[in-house]
């Protein structure tokens, strides 16, 4: 990434507007940080507004970049106005404008970056570009109070196991092909499951009704995982069933789509638990923080909790307000950077689809 402006650190109450639009969720958030005490941790942040609007496509369809970008352009002004009204603030109260600089889908990212630049110039406020992944991590830490956890970041576009060291979020393991959320979303299309409110959530509901486990490929390679073979296999089973060629469980009952959703979740979540436990052992941590949209899944949280309890550890997770892509996480991470003197110039405010988590200097942490 290009070099960024660095100014003296700030030690007073600050307020940020955050814009998120890396995929099909458009989010606008406003957050306030209070001045850090001379001794002890920073007081908890105050969430003033957290507004979101989702681009939803018909069952069996994904969301195309150009259509998603059009959605963001259509709704971004309304969401900014709604966030200001909810917070009770005016543009004069805002210290900086934060936006997702990457990673994500190119056209939606560009739409939100243009909106952020425009607001920055209209309001005469500095810009702060934010790494989407770091936004998830910092919001999770803020909400849950997790101190220095191993982070499992699972979403539609990312699957990473992360731990902090020397002002970087280091990636210990990740997917070798597609993200876990993308795997779930694509299987939802195969089954023609509704995308409202999200395909992954609807798969979770169907999985709760599943009774039979269908053995699927289990692909863990060291600290990394692979989803493509699992998806290809279970797609084949689903297509056989829909074509009138049923599969049978050991008790003779016909395998249903609910059984397939249950089996897919159990398999890929077990893989994620395995590599997360390995990272915990490596860094000596007893905390796991689950972030990203798939982190809302209760079954994933339950399976991770079983593992953590066996290690005398604990699992931290948030609800859908903060797990699913949102503007408040961008405002929060951006404000943390802003308070250290970080700024993004207009020339450097280009977005990028590939922006690694470990590229970001975490200057606000010195532990």
């Amino acid at each position: 990434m290009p070099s960024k402006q660095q100014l003296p650190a700030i030690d007073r109450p600050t307020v940020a507007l955050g814009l998120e639009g890396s995929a099909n969720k458009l989010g606008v958030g406003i957050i306030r940080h209070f001045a850090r005490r001379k001794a002890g941790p920073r007081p908890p942040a105050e969430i003033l507004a957290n507004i979101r609007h989702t681009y939803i496509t018909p069952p069996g369809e994904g969301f195309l970049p150009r259509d998603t970008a059009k959605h963001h352009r259509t709704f971004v002004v309304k969401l900014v106005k709604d966030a200001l009204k909810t917070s009770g603030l005016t543009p004069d109260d805002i210290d900086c404008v934060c936006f997702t600089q990457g990673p994500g889908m190119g056209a939606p990212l560009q739409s939100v970056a243009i909106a952020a630049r425009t607001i920055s110039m209209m309001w005469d406020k500095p810009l702060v570009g934010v790494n989407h992944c770091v936004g998830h991590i910092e919001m999770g830490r803020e909400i849950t109070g997790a101190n220095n956890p191993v982070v499992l970041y699972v979403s539609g576009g990312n699957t990473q196991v992360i731990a902090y060291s020397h002002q970087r979020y280091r990636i210990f393991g990740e997917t070798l092909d597609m993200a876990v959320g993308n795997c779930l979303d694509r299987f939802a299309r195969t089954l023609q499951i509704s995308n409202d409110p999200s395909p992954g959530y609807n798969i979770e509901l169907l999985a709760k009704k599943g009774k039979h486990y269908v053995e699927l490929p289990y692909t863990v390679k060291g600290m990394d995982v692979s989803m493509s073979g699992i998806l290809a296999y279970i797609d084949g089973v689903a297509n056989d069933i829909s074509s009138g060629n049923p599969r049978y469980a050991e008790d003779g009952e016909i395998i249903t789509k609910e059984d397939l959703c249950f089996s897919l979740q159990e398999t890929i979540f077990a893989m994620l638990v395995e590599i997360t436990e390995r990272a915990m052992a490596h860094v000596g941590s007893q905390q796991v923080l689950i972030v990203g949209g798939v982190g809302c899944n209760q079954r994933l949280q339950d399976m991770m909790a079983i593992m953590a309890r066996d290690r005398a550890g604990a699992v931290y997770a948030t609800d859908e307000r903060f797990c699913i892509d949102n503007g408040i996480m961008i405002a929060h991470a951006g404000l943390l950077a802003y308070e250290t003197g970080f700024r993004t110039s207009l020339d450097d405010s280009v977005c990028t689809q590939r922006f690694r988590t470990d590229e970001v200097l975490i200057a606000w942490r010195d532990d």
Side-chain angles (χ1 to χ4, degrees), residues 255-272:
I255 297 296
T256 65
K257 65 179 180 180
E258 289 83 3
D259 295 330
L260 294 181
C261 291
F262 166 73
S263 303
L264 181 60
Q265 279 197 170
E266 292 297 301
T267 301
I268 60 179
F269 291 169
M271 291 160 52
L272 296 174

Side-chain angles (χ1 to χ4, degrees), residues 2 21 51 71 73 76 79 81 98 106 124 128 138 163 176 197 217 223 263 272 274-275 285 309 311 336 348 357 359:
I51 312 294
H71 166 269
R73 292 194 300 269
V76 66
L79 263 62
K81 289 181 177 179
C98 311
D124 192 25
V128 178
E138 291 300 347
L176 296 173
M223 285 297 297
S263 303
L272 296 174
E274 178 182 338
I275 62 173
S285 174
R309 281 197 301 269
R311 301 183 61 85
L336 288 172
D348 289 337
T357 312
E359 290 180 37

Side-chain angles (χ1 to χ4, degrees), residues 108-167:
L109 281 172
Q110 290 174 5
S111 295
V112 173
I114 290 170
R117 293 185 203 113
T118 303
I119 293 170
S120 170
M121 291 187 288
M122 287 176 57
W123 295 356
D124 192 25
K125 304 294 181 180
L127 273 175
V128 178
V130 176
N131 179 287
H132 179 86
C133 314
V134 172
H136 272 297
I137 295 170
E138 291 300 347
M139 198 71 234
R141 292 181 64 236
E142 177 69 24
I143 295 299
T144 65
N147 180 25
N148 191 25
V150 166
V151 179
L152 175 64
Y153 172 35
V154 278
S155 68
N158 298 275
T159 299
Q160 297 177 342
V161 177
I162 300 162
Y164 173 82
S165 177
H166 296 89
Q167 295 193 313

Side-chain angles (χ1 to χ4, degrees), residues 34-111:
F34 297 95
R36 187 180 296 274
R37 303 185 185 99
K38 292 183 179 180
R42 177 179 58 78
E46 181 182 5
I47 297 171
L48 302 174
N50 188 18
I51 312 294
R52 183 167 55 214
H53 196 279
T54 303
Y55 174 55
I56 298 175
T57 56
E61 296 183 16
F63 45 91
L64 297 175
R66 66 174 182 272
D67 298 330
T68 308
K70 181 179 179 181
H71 166 269
H72 292 358
R73 292 194 300 269
T74 301
F75 287 97
V76 66
V77 172
K78 180 183 184 302
L79 263 62
V80 170
K81 289 181 177 179
D82 289 348
L84 287 173
K85 183 177 180 180
T86 300
S87 68
L89 302 181
T90 69
D92 291 338
D93 300 313
I94 305 297
D95 287 286
C96 61
V97 177
C98 311
F99 69 101
T100 302
Q101 199 162 10
M105 300 170 67
L109 281 172
Q110 290 174 5
S111 295

Side-chain angles (χ1 to χ4, degrees), residues 291-303:
V291 299
V294 182
C296 294
N297 190 293
Q298 190 59 52
R299 179 55 180 159
L300 173 60
Q301 293 182 20
D302 291 344
M303 291 175 69

Side-chain angles (χ1 to χ4, degrees), residues 6 128-129 332-343 364:
Q6 192 73 30
V128 178
H332 178 56
L335 196 51
L336 288 172
Y338 173 81
E339 290 165 347
T340 69
F342 181 89
R343 308 289 186 273
W364 52 90

